[in-house]
């Protein structure tokens, strides 16, 4: 396939966004790790269903404002939340 400068520019932007997403997720998980450690020390449960539902509703509203499929945003956030809970359980069980 011949070099297409327009496609290459789009792909460069996508690559930059993907890198930013990875770094943002890394920062998010650093904070949620600290939350998990705090919860373990204070005997709080790893999951907080009411907080999770609030966050999902908030993200769905933001998704609508951003012209993003709110169902996709819910699936994405649920995936992240489930991973955070798994980490919190691991931290709790290690203590």
């Amino acid at each position: 396939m011949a070099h297409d400068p327009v496609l290459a520019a789009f792909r460069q932007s996508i690559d930059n966004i993907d890198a930013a997403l990875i770094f943002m997720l890394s920062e998010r998980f650093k904070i949620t790790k600290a939350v998990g450690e705090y919860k373990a020390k204070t005997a709080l449960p790893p999951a907080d269903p009411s907080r999770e539902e609030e966050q999902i509703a908030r993200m769905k509203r933001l998704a609508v404002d951003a012209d993003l499929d709110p169902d996709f945003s819910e699936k994405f956030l649920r995936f992240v939340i489930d991973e955070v809970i798994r980490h919190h359980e691991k931290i709790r069980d290690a203590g």
Side-chain angles (χ1 to χ4, degrees), residues 38-79:
Y38 176 78
K39 284 181 171 185
K41 279 190 237 176
T42 57
L44 291 169
D48 184 344
S50 63
R51 165 76 175 161
E52 293 162 23
E53 290 308 312
E54 288 171 10
Q55 283 299 94
I56 288 170
R58 179 176 161 269
M59 292 295 278
K60 287 177 87 169
R61 288 191 305 271
L62 289 171
V64 169
D65 291 345
D67 197 27
L68 180 68
D69 179 357
D71 292 333
F72 169 77
S73 71
E74 180 177 3
K75 289 175 192 172
F76 177 77
L77 187 59
R78 175 48 55 197
F79 175 79

Side-chain angles (χ1 to χ4, degrees), residues 70-89:
D71 292 333
F72 169 77
S73 71
E74 180 177 3
K75 289 175 192 172
F76 177 77
L77 187 59
R78 175 48 55 197
F79 175 79
V80 171
I81 289 170
D82 290 347
E83 189 66 12
V84 167
I85 292 168
R86 190 177 70 76
H87 290 189
H88 287 186
E89 289 169 342

Side-chain angles (χ1 to χ4, degrees), residues 3 5 8 14-15 21 27 29 34 37 40 42 50 52 59 64 66-67 72 77 79 90-91 93:
H3 177 72
I14 289 167
D15 291 351
L21 286 169
E27 288 302 310
F29 276 91
E37 290 167 351
T42 57
S50 63
E52 293 162 23
M59 292 295 278
V64 169
D67 197 27
F72 169 77
L77 187 59
F79 175 79
K90 194 172 174 183
I91 292 167
D93 295 346

